[in-house]
Amino acid sequence: MDCDACNNLLLDYLYEELDEAGASAMRQHLQGCSACTEALDRLALGRRAARSLPVLDAPAPSAALLAAIHAEAPAPKLRLVTGGSGSVAAEAPEPPRGKVPRWLQRVGEVAMRRQVAMAAVFLLMIGFGLSYHQLQAPTRPLPTSDDPGPTVIPARPVPTPAAPVGAAQRQADERRPSARAANVERALDHRAPTPAPTATRGGSLGEAQSAAPPAPAASPTWARTTEAAPEDDSMHHGAPTTYRSQPPPPAQVPGSIATTERVSGNRDLDRGMPPLQVDSPAPVAQQPNVAAQGNGTQQWAAPQPQAVQQGVLGAEQGNRLGQRAQNQNTLAVAADAWRDLQQQGNTASERGQQDAAIEAWRRALAANPPAAERRAIALRLVTALNGEGRAAEASEVQAQHLSRTNAVVDLEGQVPSPSAAGTQVAHPSRPAPSRSMPVRRSRQMPSAMDSYSNMAH
Amino acid sequence: MSSERQKDVADEELLERFRSGSARAFEELMRRHQTPLYNFILRSVRHPQTAEEIHQDAWLRILQGARDFQRASKFTTWAYTVARNLCIDHARKAVLRRHPSLEQPSGDEDGPSLGEVLPDRGAAVDRAAIGNELQVRIAAAVDALPAEQREVFLMREYSNLQFKEIADIVGAPENTVKSRMRYALERLQQALAEYEDYARALG
């Protein structure tokens, strides 16, 4: 071996890439060649220098890489298992595997097109709209065919009104006893409630008063929401029986006798009947936040935007019809107690008999009127008390019936009125009236909530 | 298929086992080669974070290419080819980003290159890890090597690839590879000699 050959193989020798024969030949040459030995020493020194460098540990493989390893591994395994006899057999099972996804892919591509998505949304909207209208449709005939309760809906504008107007109207109705019956009949014909009674009722006051409801009544929303309160309707339905059995109109029978009779009779009814739930949900309706603090029933009765209410109407209707059948009689009679008392108060007030009016309104409040009416009555009562200089009582009434926090008190069953307290306990399962409350209130006291519900429609 | 048995198995056989569905075979391949491969990448790109990304990417590509791997070829040849190509791609992207070349001398011809001037993080890693003057100098010398010399040196010295295999990887004749290796080793020997002079001067 000469120096050139040795020089060419120095690195192979240094890195031990030579076979044993080549290595021994190199060793022989190097022993007798100082130049080649010196060259090798320089390279060896360079290698020694390189070995002084640290070798850094590789970072751990990322989770994605490890996952990829395990994801990649099984697929070839399948191929091997099936392809033990040869690659042809291995290929065989794959085409069907590939074909199905390809077919599915095409379907998927079509399904993922924008037009398809738009069409689907369009169909959904149509379907939703249809079901929405179907939801409304059955709710109307149901009450009228099974139960005359809702048919009295048109009469609701009559008692509902807040103050003297309602009284005058009631008087007008009672002067013409057939008016209510006519209303009932009319309502049987026109499911949509209000406009007809308004037109026939005639009296200037009555017209002025009921001018408000017809506007919403024309819209289906109004019809629905009024029907949403069959409990109320049942009470209204029951109300005429009281009137018929006790014709003396408070307006015509002045003062004390009629008042005491009515009051005592209604109190008996109050005591004997299952406590009313009419009142308790009302504060809930007025104060949505409070609902969360109530018991389960009241939470259920928590007021919702009308749109939401309508959504659940169909589902709850049957339930409420059954409840109504149970409670109709007692409730209906008792439910009117406050109305008579309210009227008496109104009448007395108009006649300047403030004490009698105050007393009547107090009783009316004690008879669990619905929240809207309660507020109306309480407002008048407070006004009258203030007018009489009984500011302390006025503020008491105000705190009890008009303050917002009152709702909490009601919900917790701490209402001073025994009937109200009883109401809470005994009828936890009658949440329905609360549904009517926002509607009724909206006709009397426009509020933020009303404007919200108006916007919703 | 215990790891003890796998230690005796050739890389190519492990790759074949992985293709048969054994994830552990591939993990054994990684265990064998990830450290030299990572160090090769790290000293090529001289940036730990970039090196880590390229390293993971390289194994991912090896994983994805395992099915098409020809058993006749050597696994390490393929793996280092993948890693080297990734490093070259990275360097090209750096150039495209109009970064000045690290090896272009700044100012006059004899001035230090940018790579020598800039505090590079690869050297920083070494300094932090070792704190040894000799190692710092050697590391600087390795970093200062021309890329074609450095990659050959790294593959031969740290990855223990034979010159013929390195020639396959870099696509150059084996003699060219050897001469590059020789230059690299002589440069390192110079750095070592300079250090020894320096150490002797310190007394």
Side-chain angles (χ1 to χ4, degrees):
Chain A
M1 181 178 278
D2 58 9
C3 280
D4 279 349
C6 176
N7 208 21
N8 283 337
L9 293 173
L10 274 179
L11 281 173
D12 300 80
Y13 182 73
L14 183 64
Y15 283 95
E16 298 171 354
E17 287 190 20
L18 292 175
D19 56 15
E20 187 48 45
S24 64
M26 281 290 290
R27 273 193 296 268
Q28 275 185 352
H29 177 80
L30 285 170
Q31 281 175 353
C33 180
S34 60
C36 287
T37 304
E38 193 181 331
L40 180 66
D41 286 348
R42 281 206 306 274
L43 294 176
L45 274 176
R47 204 180 172 199
R48 211 187 75 197
R51 283 186 174 168
S52 69
L53 282 183
V55 173
L56 302 181
D57 284 337
S62 67
L65 178 58
L66 287 176
I69 291 171
H70 287 269
E72 286 280 328
K77 186 182 194 177
L78 281 178
R79 186 163 56 173
L80 241 205
V81 167
T82 54
S85 57
S87 62
V88 179
E91 301 288 329
E94 282 205 337
R97 269 184 71 210
K99 248 183 191 175
V100 175
R102 226 172 285 142
W103 175 78
L104 278 176
Q105 266 180 354
R106 268 178 214 154
V107 175
E109 280 168 14
V110 172
M112 289 305 287
R113 279 182 193 156
R114 208 172 290 166
Q115 296 90 331
V116 176
M118 287 172 68
V121 170
F122 188 64
L123 284 176
L124 268 178
M125 287 169 68
I126 291 177
F128 193 73
L130 283 176
S131 62
Y132 183 70
H133 280 284
Q134 277 177 349
L135 187 77
Q136 296 177 24
T139 60
R140 292 185 192 172
L142 262 177
T144 47
S145 57
D146 297 343
D147 184 1
T151 63
V152 199
I153 290 169
R156 289 187 55 205
V158 180
T160 314
V165 181
Q169 207 167 39
R170 177 62 55 90
Q171 290 168 21
D173 267 4
E174 281 160 355
R175 268 183 235 113
R176 293 178 287 118
S178 62
R180 289 181 76 88
N183 283 349
V184 172
E185 289 169 9
R186 223 175 290 119
L188 280 168
D189 293 337
H190 313 278
R191 298 280 139 65
T194 31
T198 310
T200 49
R201 203 169 290 124
S204 61
L205 274 173
E207 270 183 6
Q209 184 276 329
S210 55
S219 74
T221 303
W222 175 254
R224 239 177 296 122
T225 42
T226 45
E227 284 177 291
E231 306 276 26
D232 253 26
D233 295 338
S234 76
M235 292 186 293
H236 287 281
H237 172 59
T241 62
T242 344
Y243 284 120
R244 282 173 208 135
S245 60
Q246 270 185 319
Q252 290 170 353
V253 182
S256 55
I257 300 173
T259 305
T260 47
E261 278 178 9
R262 303 282 292 169
V263 168
S264 63
N266 284 316
R267 271 189 173 167
D268 288 341
L269 284 169
D270 249 351
R271 283 186 211 111
M273 67 178 248
L276 287 175
Q277 188 74 5
V278 178
D279 196 18
S280 59
V284 178
Q286 290 174 347
Q287 226 175 356
N289 291 337
V290 172
Q293 303 172 22
N295 58 33
T297 307
Q298 282 147 349
Q299 282 181 359
W300 185 91
Q304 305 159 23
Q306 286 188 1
V308 180
Q309 289 182 20
Q310 290 156 15
V312 292
L313 282 186
E316 292 168 357
Q317 181 130 18
N319 187 24
R320 265 188 272 114
L321 282 173
Q323 288 176 350
R324 191 180 344 157
Q326 283 183 347
N327 305 317
Q328 191 176 2
N329 296 331
T330 49
L331 279 177
V333 176
D336 239 13
W338 62 268
R339 190 171 290 135
D340 290 341
L341 289 163
Q342 181 190 17
Q343 280 188 346
Q344 289 167 18
N346 293 348
T347 308
S349 175
E350 283 165 17
R351 297 183 179 190
Q353 300 166 348
Q354 291 302 326
D355 287 346
I358 287 167
E359 181 64 18
W361 283 331
R362 275 192 185 284
R363 290 175 188 276
L365 283 177
N368 282 322
E373 273 72 12
R374 192 170 62 122
R375 290 183 63 82
I377 296 167
L379 272 172
R380 296 213 66 183
L381 178 55
V382 167
T383 311
L385 284 169
N386 280 328
E388 293 291 301
R390 294 150 74 173
E393 292 174 58
S395 61
E396 188 184 335
V397 171
Q398 191 161 7
Q400 190 175 336
H401 295 287
L402 293 178
S403 72
R404 292 268 164 185
T405 53
N406 183 33
V408 183
V409 177
D410 273 357
L411 285 174
E412 291 168 357
Q414 295 168 355
V415 181
S417 153
S419 62
T423 299
Q424 302 294 324
V425 183
H427 263 284
S429 62
R430 291 195 56 242
S434 73
R435 291 218 140 54
S436 68
M437 291 316 154
V439 179
R440 303 186 61 160
R441 191 170 58 83
S442 72
R443 289 156 65 189
Q444 287 189 324
M445 302 178 178
S447 69
M449 190 159 178
D450 299 329
S451 59
Y452 167 77
S453 57
N454 287 338
M455 281 169 59
H457 304 296
Chain B
M1 197 186 302
S2 70
S3 61
E4 284 77 17
R5 274 181 57 197
Q6 284 185 349
K7 276 178 185 171
D8 304 328
V9 176
D11 295 337
E12 294 72 26
E13 175 58 25
L14 284 176
L15 201 61
E16 191 58 43
R17 288 178 184 175
F18 168 68
R19 287 161 56 159
S20 307
S22 169
R24 288 185 58 191
F26 194 88
E27 287 169 357
E28 169 65 14
L29 267 180
M30 278 187 68
R31 197 191 58 73
R32 284 184 187 183
H33 296 288
Q34 63 180 359
T35 294
L37 191 68
Y38 171 70
N39 279 272
F40 168 74
I41 295 168
L42 175 64
R43 299 212 178 269
S44 296
V45 301
R46 295 184 249 177
H47 189 279
Q49 194 177 339
T50 308
E52 188 170 337
E53 289 169 8
I54 291 177
H55 181 243
Q56 299 281 340
D57 196 11
W59 281 109
L60 205 60
R61 283 169 190 245
I62 292 165
L63 182 70
Q64 289 163 349
R67 201 173 291 186
D68 302 324
F69 177 75
Q70 302 297 318
R71 184 146 191 198
S73 55
K74 214 164 181 278
F75 170 75
T76 44
T77 307
W78 174 47
Y80 276 86
T81 303
V82 169
R84 179 176 177 268
N85 287 339
L86 287 172
C87 290
I88 291 172
D89 286 347
H90 171 75
R92 280 191 189 140
K93 282 176 194 164
V95 170
L96 284 178
R97 276 185 250 118
R98 291 166 185 266
H99 286 182
S101 166
L102 291 173
E103 283 139 23
Q104 183 183 359
S106 61
D108 57 344
E109 289 288 316
D110 298 329
S113 72
L114 186 58
E116 290 165 336
V117 171
L118 287 178
D120 69 82
R121 299 180 67 174
V125 169
D126 289 337
R127 279 182 216 112
I130 319 141
N132 182 309
E133 178 67 22
L134 171 64
Q135 287 166 339
V136 170
R137 281 172 177 255
I138 298 301
V142 170
D143 290 343
L145 286 175
E148 66 267 20
Q149 292 181 22
R150 184 171 60 232
E151 66 181 4
V152 170
F153 164 77
L154 292 172
M155 281 188 271
R156 177 60 262 195
E157 186 61 47
Y158 296 114
S159 302
N160 204 27
L161 303 186
Q162 295 199 345
F163 290 113
K164 187 178 182 312
E165 193 177 353
I166 296 172
D168 288 344
I169 292 167
V170 302
E174 190 176 340
N175 280 337
T176 307
V177 169
K178 282 182 183 172
S179 66
R180 287 175 187 170
M181 183 70 191
R182 201 165 182 148
Y183 282 123
L185 283 178
E186 285 178 352
R187 177 70 194 91
L188 290 183
Q189 183 270 329
Q190 283 176 19
L192 181 63
E194 286 166 12
Y195 169 73
E196 283 170 350
D197 290 346
Y198 162 81
R200 224 173 284 128
L202 282 179

